[in-house]
Amino acid sequence: MNDLHKDKIEFCRPTWAEVDLDNLAHNFRVLKEKVGGGVKIMPMVKADAYGHGMIPCARKLAECGADSFGVASIEEGLRLRKAGISLPVLVLGAVLSDSVVGFFEAGLTPALCDWETALALEEEARSRNCRIKAHIKIDTGMGRIGVLWNEADVFIRKVSFLEHIEIEGLFTHFPCADEENNDLTALQEERFFRVAGSAERSGVRIPLLHAANSAAIFNRGSAGFNMVRPGLALYGVSPFSGKDDISLKPVLSLKSRLVYVKRLPAGSGVSYGHTYRVPDECVVATIPLGYGDGYPRNLSNCGPVLIRGRRYKISGRICMDQLMVDAGREVLSTGEEAVFIGSQGKEEIKARELAVLGGTIAYEILCGIGGRVPRVYMDKTSFFTAEEVWKEKRLFTRFNAEMRLGFSCDAHGLSGEAMTHDISASGLSFVFEGENGASLSSPLPLHSSLDMRLLDRRGVEVLRTGGDVVWSRRISPQRYSAGVAFTAVPGTSPDDIRSFLKKYCGCQSIFSNPRQAHSV
């Protein structure tokens, strides 16, 4: 195990999943290059980012340049909003018409595919005196939710007449994009663009057209669409069965430790039903991972495990909380690491391998890893190392405080002084106002690199650091707010931030208006 984590991963139950955010960023760049410039990317972070952890993954993807996010439900979108993520969020699933208020409360974009929901959205928007953006879902061959493609022309025109709904997007889904020599995907594209073309000819301009999932991105690129929706490939798993893309890097590893080791005589049965008996006297190790953690029970007697860089096989039936491994005559010790997904030495176990053994798909293996398995986030490119961000809640503890901030952005010729709104170990947010109430031409561009100086009330610099703008929005013609992730600058180290937080958080002499710290 990486020395960086030895002192931090001290779970009472030593089973955890490591999520490599650097690899997530790498995969995003691979996909971005694949689709080319001018094509927006909407990463799928539904189902807790395929089991990887929605909030940390979404934050990293936002830093990488994601344009929006896709979720399955209003509740998932609300989680993103509560975490301070302000990028557009499309709820891909259908909802009952009496649930539409959630889109307005959380600022989410609905997928629209029935008239009852359209009317409910229109009525709610009218009552709030606002307009809501929606993406119309058409069924070109999936057979799931969506207006049938040959009925979509009429539906789109009807929605376009609703005063308080703006049709921002049109989308469909490919069920067979991962199959080579399948004609359905081409037929779906033809149907989709026939509908889009008809809408445009009738005077309905729809800015965003999207359909491509991970498989379609690799098979067909953007294929005339101006947005794509990658999912599985982002997390380092090839969308094609039996074929891995070497350009992708796996993001998640599932690990545990041996908690009990003993010798069993030849012929001894192991686990429920004694479906496995040791052929000879051997060492049997017990590991605290089971189907209660989402590890599939049907991998009993066949699931691979890496211990000391060697492959072993699960012995006997997997229990709810534990499983056993026959290690032969190998002398093992408690505390040794066992890898169920990931690499150890020269060996590697991939999620797809487990899926094949279990008769399922890699999606289910990853999404099935349960909530009681802690996620450990590794991010070497962050200003803070994985050691500081090993727990999700630690990353997002914010201290509400107003403090003077001097900043400059050489690339855009911007500079000024602002007031912070909150400060955390990973970044800060601030409000900037034009001089003498002058109007501002635009907010700070996303991903601008800033040089920042935090000042006390006397104007004395107490911290200098870099920053990357991860969100920026106008509050009024004269003011905007922005969120910035800390980045390293020459002469500054993570210790400087850590010392700053320890020394000054809540200190009256440095904060103009200190407030109680809270966790987001």
Side-chain angles (χ1 to χ4, degrees), residues 205-255:
R205 182 183 176 278
I206 304 177
L208 297 176
L209 307 176
H210 52 105
N213 52 16
S214 293
I217 290 171
F218 281 97
N219 267 347
R220 312 181 74 84
S222 57
F225 300 92
N226 57 13
M227 187 162 75
V228 294
R229 305 190 308 265
L232 192 64
L234 274 173
Y235 305 104
V237 180
S238 170
F240 306 106
S241 59
K243 183 173 71 174
D244 286 319
D245 190 290
I246 58 174
S247 63
L248 300 174
K249 295 182 179 180
V251 175
L252 182 141
S253 299
L254 179 61
K255 300 181 178 183

Side-chain angles (χ1 to χ4, degrees), residues 163-381:
E163 184 180 354
H164 296 86
I165 295 179
E166 177 185 343
I167 305 175
E168 182 190 45
L170 183 70
F171 72 111
T172 192
H173 191 64
F174 296 143
C176 300
D178 58 337
E179 299 178 10
E180 294 184 10
N181 304 317
N182 189 299
D183 296 331
L184 176 60
T185 304
L187 177 61
Q188 286 184 276
E189 289 176 353
E190 179 187 334
R191 290 170 172 174
F192 182 91
F193 287 113
R194 189 183 304 174
V195 172
S198 176
E200 187 171 4
R201 287 190 296 275
S202 65
V204 182
R205 182 183 176 278
I206 304 177
L208 297 176
L209 307 176
H210 52 105
N213 52 16
S214 293
I217 290 171
F218 281 97
N219 267 347
R220 312 181 74 84
S222 57
F225 300 92
N226 57 13
M227 187 162 75
V228 294
R229 305 190 308 265
L232 192 64
L234 274 173
Y235 305 104
V237 180
S238 170
F240 306 106
S241 59
K243 183 173 71 174
D244 286 319
D245 190 290
I246 58 174
S247 63
L248 300 174
K249 295 182 179 180
V251 175
L252 182 141
S253 299
L254 179 61
K255 300 181 178 183
S256 188
R257 294 188 181 280
L258 281 55
V259 293
Y260 194 80
V261 177
K262 67 181 176 185
R263 288 188 173 275
L264 286 181
S268 296
V270 177
S271 195
Y272 293 106
H274 282 189
T275 59
Y276 178 81
R277 292 183 179 274
V278 300
D280 302 295
E281 179 183 343
C282 67
V283 171
V284 172
T286 298
I287 302 170
L289 176 71
Y291 61 78
D293 302 296
Y295 192 83
R297 186 173 181 270
N298 62 1
L299 294 183
S300 299
N301 289 308
C302 67
V305 188
L306 303 181
I307 304 172
R308 293 186 179 179
R310 291 180 54 189
R311 278 184 172 250
Y312 293 92
K313 191 181 295 184
I314 294 170
S315 304
R317 287 179 178 159
I318 294 168
C319 311
M320 182 182 290
D321 313 302
Q322 303 170 87
L323 56 79
M324 280 68 76
V325 174
D326 178 352
R329 298 189 178 277
E330 187 78 24
V331 180
L332 300 178
S333 303
T334 58
E336 292 195 61
E337 183 184 80
V339 174
F340 293 85
I341 300 175
S343 301
Q344 192 185 67
K346 296 181 180 180
E347 292 286 346
E348 182 179 14
I349 299 171
K350 295 185 176 182
R352 183 170 301 284
E353 178 183 351
L354 301 186
V356 171
L357 287 171
T360 183
I361 54 177
Y363 296 84
E364 186 176 0
I365 296 295
L366 296 172
C367 293
I369 300 173
R372 76 174 183 182
V373 177
R375 270 58 167 181
V376 179
Y377 296 98
M378 306 169 66
D379 191 358
K380 294 178 183 176
T381 61

Side-chain angles (χ1 to χ4, degrees), residues 52-261:
H52 292 67
M54 175 188 283
I55 304 306
C57 289
R59 285 185 178 273
K60 188 65 178 180
L61 291 166
E63 292 177 10
C64 292
D67 296 286
S68 56
F69 291 112
V71 298
S73 66
I74 291 174
E75 289 82 357
E76 288 184 336
L78 186 58
R79 281 189 61 201
L80 292 174
R81 293 294 184 246
K82 286 183 175 179
I85 294 170
S86 59
L87 287 175
V89 176
L90 174 63
V91 178
L92 295 158
V95 302
L96 297 175
S97 58
D98 58 4
S99 301
V100 299
V101 66
F103 293 111
F104 296 88
E105 296 294 334
L108 308 173
T109 304
L112 187 55
C113 53
D114 69 276
W115 187 241
E116 183 181 358
T117 302
L119 290 178
L121 287 167
E122 171 70 11
E123 183 61 30
E124 185 67 26
R126 180 184 290 111
S127 70
R128 294 169 178 263
N129 193 29
C130 70
R131 300 189 79 206
I132 186 169
K133 294 179 179 180
H135 289 216
I136 292 179
K137 174 71 177 289
I138 62 173
D139 181 4
T140 57
M142 180 71 182
R144 201 166 55 181
I145 70 168
V147 183
L148 286 172
W149 70 274
N150 54 357
E151 300 173 1
D153 288 350
V154 174
F155 183 78
I156 291 171
R157 284 198 295 272
K158 286 175 66 177
V159 173
S160 72
F161 291 133
L162 297 176
E163 184 180 354
H164 296 86
I165 295 179
E166 177 185 343
I167 305 175
E168 182 190 45
L170 183 70
F171 72 111
T172 192
H173 191 64
F174 296 143
C176 300
D178 58 337
E179 299 178 10
E180 294 184 10
N181 304 317
N182 189 299
D183 296 331
L184 176 60
T185 304
L187 177 61
Q188 286 184 276
E189 289 176 353
E190 179 187 334
R191 290 170 172 174
F192 182 91
F193 287 113
R194 189 183 304 174
V195 172
S198 176
E200 187 171 4
R201 287 190 296 275
S202 65
V204 182
R205 182 183 176 278
I206 304 177
L208 297 176
L209 307 176
H210 52 105
N213 52 16
S214 293
I217 290 171
F218 281 97
N219 267 347
R220 312 181 74 84
S222 57
F225 300 92
N226 57 13
M227 187 162 75
V228 294
R229 305 190 308 265
L232 192 64
L234 274 173
Y235 305 104
V237 180
S238 170
F240 306 106
S241 59
K243 183 173 71 174
D244 286 319
D245 190 290
I246 58 174
S247 63
L248 300 174
K249 295 182 179 180
V251 175
L252 182 141
S253 299
L254 179 61
K255 300 181 178 183
S256 188
R257 294 188 181 280
L258 281 55
V259 293
Y260 194 80
V261 177

